[in-house]
Amino acid sequence: MPRIQGVDIPPNKPTHISLRYLKGIGPTTSLELCEKVGLDPQRRASELTDDDVAKLAVVIDRDYLVEGALRRFDGANIARLKEIKSYRGDRHRKNLPVRGQRSKTNARTRKGPRKTVAGKKGVKDK
Amino acid sequence: MGRSMKKGPYVDQRLEAKVAKNGNKEAIKTWARDCTCIPDFIGMTFLVHNGRSFIKVYVTEDMIGHKLGEFSLTRTFKGHSGGKAKAPAGK
């Protein structure tokens, strides 16, 4: 089982699919990576030699922001938005949609499971 | 979607002129909420209209690239009826 960037162990899938188990590597980057390192994207990840894995690690380290570093980067950006008291920072703080979506209904991804409020009736009353 | 790079950031011309003239310190009243903060604005204070009143906005380095309006909220949310009103964080 190959191991790249610490803990990630992509299993018995084609290399370009396996690589996508790393945060920060999607379909495009994954194929790009295979090309840069000179691997056949269709070969199973389990068939990668230690040498291939080492090469992959080097290229990822050099060219891409993945896993912890990426999370820190995103976190820092959000912290910045909060810090400067921008509207977007405010929306992050309140766990509401940031990009202007409606929040009267829906927005459940951000708001989490519905919290029923006692005394509130149907749409008519709003 | 972002604005074309070719054009550069949108900066309100009159506001820019005022910033250039204003030898710092005095707050500039403005309605140009759509004006991007540029490096020249650092350390300036603006009074940005929110439709009702002017909100004081002190521009710092981190705010560059954001629009003035982002810092002058237009809505007042006083909490929902009933529930113990959690005071809205910040302004």
Side-chain angles (χ1 to χ4, degrees), chain A residues 80-81 84-87 90, chain B residues 62-63 66 70-71 73 89:
Chain A
R80 196 192 92 236
L81 289 173
I84 63 179
K85 291 190 281 180
S86 77
Y87 180 70
D90 210 45
Chain B
D62 278 341
M63 295 186 184
H66 290 266
E70 285 183 55
F71 308 105
L73 303 191

Side-chain angles (χ1 to χ4, degrees), chain B residues 36-58:
Chain B
T36 311
C37 297
I38 54 173
D40 294 357
F41 288 6
I42 295 177
M44 306 283 301
T45 308
F46 295 91
L47 290 165
V48 183
H49 198 60
N50 70 358
R52 182 194 291 271
S53 59
F54 293 89
I55 307 289
K56 216 178 239 176
V57 174
Y58 176 76

Side-chain angles (χ1 to χ4, degrees), chain A residues 96-107:
Chain A
L96 287 168
V98 174
R99 298 184 178 173
Q101 299 98 319
R102 71 153 34 203
S103 54
K104 179 172 183 172
T105 67
N106 299 333

